[in-house]
Amino acid sequence: MQNQKMNAYQFLKRKLLNCEIMPGEYINEKELVLNSSYGRTPIREALILLKAENLVEIIPRQGTYASRITQESVQNLFSLRKLLEPAVAVSCRASIDLAALTAFDARMKTLSQQKEDTENRKRIYSLDMDFHRFIAAASRNPRITATMEPLLQETYRIGIFNSLSNTENAPAETYAQHSQIIHAILTENDGALRDMFLFHLNQGLISSLAALKHPQEIQESEDASR
C-alpha cells in the first residue's frame, strides 16, 4: 500500500508540474481512479502529500484543485530566489566542480539548438533546474539545498505554464544567460556572477508575469495539445 501511495504521488506530481493538470483546475478523484491504475485510497493519500508541497489546494465542501499561479506567488518566489541564489553562488564559487560546470554548458547548448517542441521544453526546464540545484549543492549546506528544492520545483511548473502562452525566454537566450553565469564562475568574477544571476532571475520573473496576462492563449494551447 505504501508503494501504491508513493507511485500515485509521483504520477500526480508529474501531471501537476507539467501542467497536464492546469493551475486552478478541479481535480476529480473519481476520474483519476478510473483513468489510472491507482485506487481511491492511494490517490487520496497522494493528494494530501501534494497539499503539503503546495501543489494542490483542498477546499472544504468544494473539493481539490491544482494550486493557482498568481502574480503575488510569482513575485514572492522570485524575490526569495534573488535574495538566496546570487549570495549562495558567490559564497560557494570556489567549491564548484568546474568540469561538471562546463559539462552543464555543453548540455544546455545542445538542447538550445534542438527543435522546439513540448518535450524539448521540458528537457530544457529540467536541465535549467538541475543547474540551479548544482550551484546550491556546491554550498555543502543541506539547509540551503532543502530550502531551494521547493522553489525550483515551483519555478519548473511556472516555466511550463509560461511555455503554454509562448512568453518564456527563447532557449538560445536562456542558454546565453546560463553561459554568462558559467563564464563569471570560471573567471572568478564575483560582481559579474551576482549581476548575471539577478539578470537571469529577473528575465524569468518578467516572462512569468507576462504569462498571467494571457489566459486565453494558455487555454487554447492546452486544448490544442489534447
Side-chain angles (χ1 to χ4, degrees), residues 16-19 23 69 74 77-78 81 117-118 120-126 128-129 151-170 174 203-205 207-209 211-212 218 221:
L16 290 160
L17 292 179
N18 289 311
C19 292
I69 296 173
V74 167
L77 169 67
F78 280 94
R81 288 190 65 190
D117 57 29
T118 301
N120 196 49
R121 284 172 174 174
K122 290 178 184 177
R123 287 190 288 269
I124 289 170
Y125 283 125
S126 292
D128 188 346
M129 296 306 100
L151 303 181
L152 296 176
Q153 180 175 277
E154 186 177 356
T155 302
Y156 174 87
R157 181 174 180 241
I158 290 171
I160 296 298
F161 182 76
N162 295 351
S163 73
L164 297 174
S165 67
N166 295 313
T167 64
E168 84 275 29
N169 293 317
T174 299
Q203 290 300 303
L205 172 61
S207 66
S208 300
L209 293 176
L212 296 174
I218 291 172
S221 177

Side-chain angles (χ1 to χ4, degrees), residues 3-20:
N3 285 342
Q4 281 287 299
K5 178 179 77 172
M6 295 311 298
N7 289 340
Y9 161 79
Q10 293 294 344
F11 166 75
L12 289 174
K13 186 172 183 176
R14 282 193 298 271
K15 285 185 169 294
L16 290 160
L17 292 179
N18 289 311
C19 292
E20 293 170 28

Side-chain angles (χ1 to χ4, degrees), residues 80-214:
L80 183 52
R81 288 190 65 190
K82 285 192 289 181
L83 284 173
L84 286 175
E85 291 191 72
V88 170
V90 169
S91 67
C92 73
R93 175 183 51 73
S95 302
I96 293 173
D97 182 334
L98 300 184
L101 187 71
T102 54
F104 265 108
D105 186 67
R107 290 164 62 197
M108 289 174 179
K109 184 175 183 179
T110 298
L111 282 181
S112 72
Q113 295 171 338
Q114 292 182 4
K115 179 182 177 182
E116 285 193 54
D117 57 29
T118 301
E119 290 307 309
N120 196 49
R121 284 172 174 174
K122 290 178 184 177
R123 287 190 288 269
I124 289 170
Y125 283 125
S126 292
L127 185 58
D128 188 346
M129 296 306 100
D130 285 345
F131 174 74
H132 289 272
R133 289 186 181 96
F134 169 75
I135 298 297
S139 69
R140 299 173 186 171
N141 184 327
R143 293 202 175 198
I144 288 175
T145 54
T147 299
M148 284 300 305
E149 184 55 36
L151 303 181
L152 296 176
Q153 180 175 277
E154 186 177 356
T155 302
Y156 174 87
R157 181 174 180 241
I158 290 171
I160 296 298
F161 182 76
N162 295 351
S163 73
L164 297 174
S165 67
N166 295 313
T167 64
E168 84 275 29
N169 293 317
E173 175 58 27
T174 299
Y175 165 69
Q177 293 167 21
H178 283 105
S179 188
Q180 290 178 69
I181 290 171
I182 290 169
H183 179 72
I185 294 170
L186 292 173
T187 57
E188 302 182 5
N189 188 332
D190 290 342
L193 176 56
R194 186 180 293 105
D195 290 345
M196 281 313 306
F197 242 108
L198 288 172
F199 178 78
H200 174 55
L201 293 171
N202 277 326
Q203 290 300 303
L205 172 61
I206 290 167
S207 66
S208 300
L209 293 176
L212 296 174
K213 297 178 181 179
H214 297 81

